[in-house]
Amino acid sequence: MGVSGKESVPPSGRRAAGRCAALAALLLALPLAGCFTAGEKVSVVQQPKTPAVRTISSFSEALRCMDGLMAAHGKHDIYITSNGIPDATGRVAGGTKDMLITAVSRMSERSNAFRFVDFEPALDDVNALYWMIGVQPNFRAPSYYIRGAITQLDDNVVSESAGAGISLPKFDLGVSADQVASMISVDLNVGELVTRQIIPGMSSSNSLAVLTSGKGADGGALIGKAGLTFNVSFNKSEGLHQAVRTLVELSTIEVLGKLTRTPYWQCLGIDQTNPAFMGQARDWFDGMPAAQRVTFVQRTLAADGYYDGAVTGELNEQTRAAVSRYQADHDLIATGRIDFDLYQRMLGQPSGRQQVAPERLQAVSNAGGEGLPHAPPAPAGAGPDLALSSDRGPKPRYRLGEPLVVRVSPTADGFVYCYYQDTGGTVARIYPNRFQPDAFVEANRQVEIPPGNQKPFNLRMDRVGDQEAIACVATRDEMGVRLPDRFKTEDLQPIPGATLDNVLEAFAGASGGAARSKRMGIQVLPGPVALRE
């Protein structure tokens, strides 16, 4: 690097040069002054006369009712997602996914019954759940997904037309009226995200008629030698996309009511004794294990003040006595047994005195709306925990020559250090590095190694084997400067005579055992094409 000197100038010369520079700047500015004009104030001629209004559909009140019903039944924090509701007919272009999200949101305003995870559950993306759970501690994977489509759109399935006319020597008059109906259908189903199994019975299929009507009049008259004709028409058409929103909301109420086993028909204005929905409730009751029936009853009795014992799922004498009192107070035969009549009454009239404790769903698996597990918090007194994964999940497999991308995230603010061991056992520090020099990482922030789309360096697989590994360490303090000198080598360069175990032991010694570490094995396969875990 060279150092340039400065030439000495007398004070008088400096003053003259300054005056010349100022004059030159002024002359340059003058021609440009005409290019800049003061901004003109725009006067407001007229404000919009029609204010924006909130979208109100036929089921807005039903969605609010479902929110209260979910709260009354103690349903909350059920994680769901959806790819949307595509138009299988190719003739309706509407934001059906956002309609679905809005419906789910309105059903969860007070109860927090459902949490919609904006994650596309395509088959290729299911594998990504595992590294997202590990690398993103705050990510909650959905337990269920909603799939469906606009499955039917039939135009002019019903058409009615009527007309009449009269003709006089100097006057003609005709009137007509017509009505056309089109049918549109939406089908929804619920499946388990991890198993990709559609849950039997968790489906809805609803149709709606969209009407288009019109009225018209035609007349003709002869005035002197000149002819006069006139026509008047009135047309009315119901919106197709509003019909889609109505069907989406109705279908969402139905499938999520079935998923949570809540009497959703109450919010649709259907009587509890309707045969179809009594059959639905009967199916729920018959499908419940005996212990789950008892648990449901004990929770409801406890919420209503009839039972103060433990919720055990066992039909003991205390539970029988509480059931008898409840049956006597609700016009049921006081038998002390848990039968369908008791279940239907409790289902239709949930406790209003206090919230029933949340109950895990038992539809297919033990997912129960709790979501898949995420990284556990670090024990008290220990350093920040961390999640370690790759661009191909926590158990990656690569082919020869393919690059590796490491993803690491601490659960709390701290310092992160990552090391790579190749098939030959050589260890090198890959983070922090010259392109990512700061070891400090904020809580839950994901770091990619190497960074960015245009990778400044690559970690390529060059030997077949299954002994390559990544190890990352998280500490509260900057322990990298306290390591023995033999470990303080340049980044991306081999550490002579070191193994991953040596590095982890060095961090444990420098931190007094407070360092937290994670290790990830890498399998290298022969051939040019990668396999995904």
Side-chain angles (χ1 to χ4, degrees):
M1 179 182 295
V3 179
S4 59
K6 295 183 179 179
E7 184 179 355
S8 177
V9 179
S12 58
R14 289 197 295 268
R15 287 193 296 271
R19 288 194 296 270
C20 291
L23 180 60
L26 179 61
L27 293 175
L28 288 173
L30 287 176
L32 299 175
C35 298
F36 298 95
T37 58
E40 297 182 1
K41 293 184 178 180
V42 179
S43 58
V44 178
V45 178
Q46 187 174 3
Q47 293 282 3
K49 295 182 178 180
T50 304
V53 297
R54 183 181 180 184
T55 301
I56 303 296
S57 70
S58 302
F59 292 99
S60 294
E61 288 301 321
L63 294 172
R64 187 176 296 108
C65 171
M66 286 293 292
D67 191 17
L69 192 64
M70 294 294 174
H73 282 267
K75 308 296 182 180
H76 69 92
D77 294 332
I78 302 173
Y79 287 75
I80 62 175
T81 188
S82 176
N83 264 344
I85 307 173
D87 175 23
T89 69
R91 299 160 64 188
V92 181
T96 54
K97 180 174 181 178
D98 293 285
M99 293 179 186
L100 175 64
I101 294 174
T102 300
V104 172
S105 177
R106 289 182 178 178
M107 292 172 60
S108 309
E109 291 181 357
R110 293 184 298 114
S111 63
N112 290 321
F114 300 99
R115 303 294 182 93
F116 192 94
V117 181
D118 194 13
F119 176 82
E120 304 291 339
L123 286 174
D124 292 340
D125 292 333
V126 173
N127 292 329
L129 281 173
Y130 296 100
W131 73 258
M132 291 182 74
I133 296 166
V135 176
Q136 298 285 0
N138 289 332
F139 177 77
R140 295 298 302 271
S143 299
Y144 306 101
Y145 68 98
I146 299 175
R147 67 160 298 159
I150 301 174
T151 54
Q152 179 181 347
L153 178 58
D154 297 328
D155 290 330
N156 305 329
V157 294
V158 178
S159 180
E160 298 178 357
S161 180
I166 185 173
S167 178
L168 300 174
K170 294 185 178 182
F171 184 76
D172 297 321
L173 178 64
V175 295
S176 63
D178 58 76
Q179 180 171 284
V180 177
S182 300
M183 298 298 296
I184 184 170
S185 300
V186 170
D187 287 41
L188 290 186
N189 292 275
V190 178
E192 275 198 321
L193 186 66
V194 175
T195 64
R196 305 297 296 180
Q197 295 180 4
I198 300 299
I199 305 175
M202 306 295 173
S203 61
S204 68
S205 180
N206 297 293
S207 300
L208 186 67
V210 181
L211 299 179
T212 301
S213 60
K215 296 179 180 179
D218 297 283
L222 183 64
I223 302 177
K225 296 182 179 180
L228 174 66
T229 62
F230 63 91
N231 63 78
V232 180
S233 63
F234 301 94
N235 295 299
K236 177 183 178 181
S237 177
E238 295 183 354
L240 181 63
H241 292 87
Q242 183 63 29
V244 172
R245 179 184 292 276
T246 299
L247 285 175
V248 168
E249 292 181 351
L250 171 61
S251 301
T252 303
I253 290 173
E254 184 176 354
V255 295
L256 294 184
K258 291 178 178 179
L259 177 64
T260 55
R261 294 184 177 180
T262 52
Y264 61 91
W265 49 84
Q266 295 179 0
C267 296
L268 302 178
I270 300 174
D271 190 78
Q272 182 81 4
T273 59
N274 183 282
F277 296 105
M278 284 187 67
Q280 177 77 80
R282 168 66 74 174
D283 291 340
W284 293 348
F285 180 78
D286 294 340
M288 295 172 67
Q292 190 175 350
R293 295 178 187 175
V294 176
T295 299
F296 172 82
V297 169
Q298 286 176 333
R299 290 182 185 277
T300 306
L301 292 173
D304 271 341
Y306 288 91
Y307 178 73
D308 58 1
V311 179
T312 61
E314 298 179 359
L315 187 58
N316 50 34
E317 290 300 323
Q318 185 179 5
T319 304
R320 291 180 184 275
V323 168
S324 296
R325 292 195 301 272
Y326 183 93
Q327 289 171 327
D329 291 344
H330 291 81
D331 298 325
L332 299 174
I333 300 176
T335 61
R337 296 193 302 268
I338 297 177
D339 53 18
F340 174 70
D341 290 337
L342 175 67
Y343 173 77
Q344 186 186 23
R345 178 58 61 90
M346 288 183 169
L347 189 68
Q349 297 179 355
S351 171
R353 302 184 185 182
Q354 66 185 64
Q355 292 295 326
V356 179
E359 180 179 359
R360 293 177 64 85
L361 299 178
Q362 303 293 333
V364 172
S365 71
N366 61 353
E370 296 293 334
L372 297 178
H374 53 45
D385 199 356
L386 53 82
L388 176 61
S389 188
S390 73
D391 57 334
R392 294 184 183 170
K395 297 179 180 180
R397 293 184 291 177
Y398 295 86
R399 296 273 184 186
L400 286 175
E402 290 188 326
L404 163 70
V405 177
V406 179
R407 290 170 174 162
V408 60
S409 176
T411 59
D413 293 352
F415 295 84
V416 175
Y417 306 87
C418 292
Y419 295 81
Y420 169 63
Q421 177 177 288
D422 64 14
T423 306
T426 302
V427 176
R429 189 182 80 246
I430 60 174
Y431 187 88
N433 55 64
R434 67 197 69 179
F435 307 101
Q436 299 165 293
D438 192 0
F440 180 79
V441 181
E442 297 176 349
N444 302 323
R445 182 171 72 87
Q446 178 179 296
V447 174
E448 281 197 352
I449 312 165
N453 294 326
Q454 301 295 330
K455 305 297 184 185
F457 64 93
N458 285 308
L459 304 172
R460 293 192 180 276
M461 309 296 105
D462 56 359
R463 293 178 58 182
V464 177
D466 57 359
Q467 298 179 9
E468 301 201 2
I470 299 290
C472 291
V473 181
T475 61
R476 293 187 184 277
D477 301 319
E478 195 170 4
M479 293 298 170
V481 298
R482 304 182 190 177
L483 295 179
D485 291 339
R486 62 181 291 239
F487 297 104
K488 296 179 183 178
T489 58
E490 188 177 356
D491 62 300
L492 308 177
Q493 297 299 319
I495 303 175
T499 65
L500 282 183
D501 291 334
N502 298 148
V503 173
L504 299 181
E505 290 171 1
F507 272 99
S511 64
R516 308 272 293 183
S517 64
K518 288 288 177 64
R519 186 183 300 213
M520 177 177 64
I522 305 169
Q523 185 177 3
V524 184
L525 304 173
V529 182
L531 296 176
R532 298 188 65 178
E533 179 70 22

